[in-house]
Amino acid sequence: MPTQNTRRRLLRRGGGLAATAISGVTAGCLTLATQFRSESIPVGSKRFTEQEILGYLAFESLVANTDLQVDDQTGLGGTTTNFQAVNSGEIQLYWEYTGTAWQTLPPEQDEVIPDPEELYNEVKEEFEAEHGLTFLERAPLDNTYVLMANPEWSEQTGIESLSELASYLTETDTETTVALNAEFQDRADGWPGLIDHYEFPEEGQIDVRNIESGLLYQVVGEGEADIGVGFNTDPRILQFDLQVLEDDEHFFPGYNAAPMVPLSTVESHPSIRELLNEMSADLTTEQIRELNNRVAIDNASPQTVAREYLRERGVL
């Protein structure tokens, strides 16, 4: 039976561990706390629905199928917190997005690589060389930016892609309302870059409205805007039956999720690679939207949703 350790459970064992750790530091010896970290696999995640589900998918898979001690550190913090934690050895695993790793984490590349496999390979090679961290296989899910359309507007116009939208905006006399948040509206890799890439008309038939991020899906779904910006795996796409427009000329970079793990950990515990690669292979954009929906809309817990998903696939 696998042994699970959590920070809370460790602390409940009393003050002996803390006292031993302090005396060990004073004596220059290896503390029990350090021993615990080196012998366990702490699994972290960022602090939002999808990341907590991904964290528990890894956590529950390792607990059920290995003899490793697995430490639950899901919901650890943001991107920087998790990256620093895995880079320093505080955690041994968290899921990162290829686009985030490429453009946000050091050394922060500006080049946009539209091909998802090429981007993954470049990120993997760079992080192994720069940080001694590797990426396990990427899941098919892609949490990139998307433009999404109101379902009735989409049915009326027949538009399914961004190139079709560009043609429509150029040729029609009808005003199209586009809802954007302030960040996307101003970022060079957001609306300004998208206009240039697809040659949208900058004036005339587009009414751009600035909407708070949390309201964008509802605004588009209820017809207050024809089109809005969102994230591809957000469950509110399902909730409001929105039509995601295909980025057929590949403006947005891919944001495939993949477990980031120290190379030394994978070499010491090769079962981690095989297990998580097999588990993540079926995680499509549509699948993660459904899982996100059960947590964010139906109020199930991320750990429960992860366990049920793994049971359905015979992992547990």
Side-chain angles (χ1 to χ4, degrees):
M1 190 74 175
T3 303
Q4 300 180 48
N5 289 290
T6 65
R7 181 175 292 176
R8 290 184 293 274
R9 186 174 298 169
L10 191 62
L11 292 174
R12 279 204 300 267
R13 293 177 182 172
L17 177 62
T20 305
I22 293 170
S23 64
V25 170
T26 304
C29 298
L30 187 69
T31 68
L32 288 180
T34 303
Q35 288 176 339
F36 173 77
R37 285 198 301 271
S38 65
E39 294 172 358
S40 68
I41 306 294
V43 176
S45 81
K46 303 181 194 184
R47 198 176 292 153
F48 61 88
T49 294
E50 179 170 301
Q51 275 278 311
E52 292 180 359
I53 293 171
L54 291 171
Y56 278 118
L57 288 174
F59 174 82
E60 295 291 344
S61 296
L62 294 174
V63 168
N65 294 284
T66 74
D67 292 327
L68 299 169
Q69 295 179 330
V70 189
D71 181 13
D72 179 1
Q73 299 292 333
T74 53
L76 183 64
T79 296
T80 301
T81 298
N82 278 273
F83 173 68
Q84 291 175 345
V86 76
N87 208 18
S88 66
E90 181 183 346
I91 62 174
Q92 294 294 310
L93 184 158
Y94 86 99
W95 294 72
E96 188 53 274
Y97 302 99
T98 51
T100 301
W102 182 247
Q103 295 186 319
T104 304
L105 297 177
E108 298 180 25
Q109 303 288 350
D110 292 328
E111 177 189 3
V112 175
I113 301 176
D115 180 77
E117 186 66 14
E118 181 183 353
L119 175 60
Y120 166 77
N121 289 332
E122 290 285 344
V123 167
K124 186 173 186 291
E125 181 179 344
E126 180 175 88
F127 274 68
E128 288 179 355
E130 294 282 338
H131 305 292
L133 301 170
T134 191
F135 284 87
L136 305 185
E137 288 299 319
R138 63 186 178 92
L141 74 90
D142 185 4
N143 191 19
T144 190
Y145 279 115
V146 290
L147 289 192
M148 51 201 186
N150 172 272
E152 294 180 4
W153 182 91
S154 179
E155 184 176 354
Q156 291 171 0
T157 62
I159 293 171
E160 297 181 350
S161 70
L162 295 184
S163 60
E164 291 175 355
L165 175 61
S167 297
Y168 175 83
L169 293 174
T170 301
E171 297 167 2
T172 186
D173 293 330
T174 304
E175 186 175 74
T176 300
T177 304
V178 179
L180 308 174
N181 59 35
E183 179 185 5
F184 187 83
Q185 187 172 351
D186 293 335
R187 285 174 54 152
D189 60 346
W191 185 246
L194 191 68
I195 288 175
D196 182 64
H197 188 82
Y198 279 97
E199 299 183 344
F200 289 176
E202 296 189 41
E203 299 179 355
Q205 304 309 316
I206 305 177
D207 175 18
V208 175
R209 298 182 183 177
N210 188 274
I211 302 294
E212 181 186 344
S213 296
L215 297 175
L216 279 165
Y217 302 86
Q218 182 177 351
V219 165
V220 177
E222 294 180 352
E224 296 178 41
D226 302 313
I227 295 170
V229 66
F231 291 103
N232 200 23
T233 61
D234 195 293
R236 287 169 292 186
I237 291 174
L238 297 178
Q239 183 183 12
F240 294 104
D241 194 28
L242 305 178
Q243 171 70 47
V244 172
L245 302 182
E246 180 189 357
D247 180 17
D248 52 326
E249 294 182 9
H250 309 293
F251 172 73
F252 297 116
Y255 284 81
N256 297 118
M260 184 193 293
V261 190
L263 276 167
S264 57
T265 300
V266 176
E267 291 166 357
S268 301
H269 307 290
S271 60
I272 291 176
R273 182 192 301 274
E274 180 180 355
L275 178 63
L276 295 187
N277 283 352
E278 183 177 353
M279 184 271 294
S280 65
D282 296 331
L283 277 173
T284 63
T285 297
E286 292 74 16
Q287 181 65 68
I288 200 69
R289 275 186 203 150
E290 291 284 355
L291 299 182
N292 289 342
N293 187 74
R294 292 178 58 191
V295 175
I297 308 301
D298 298 339
N299 296 317
S301 80
Q303 188 167 19
T304 297
V305 168
R307 283 175 176 166
E308 291 176 355
Y309 173 84
L310 293 172
R311 286 195 191 101
E312 290 170 1
R313 278 150 184 78
V315 178
L316 300 187

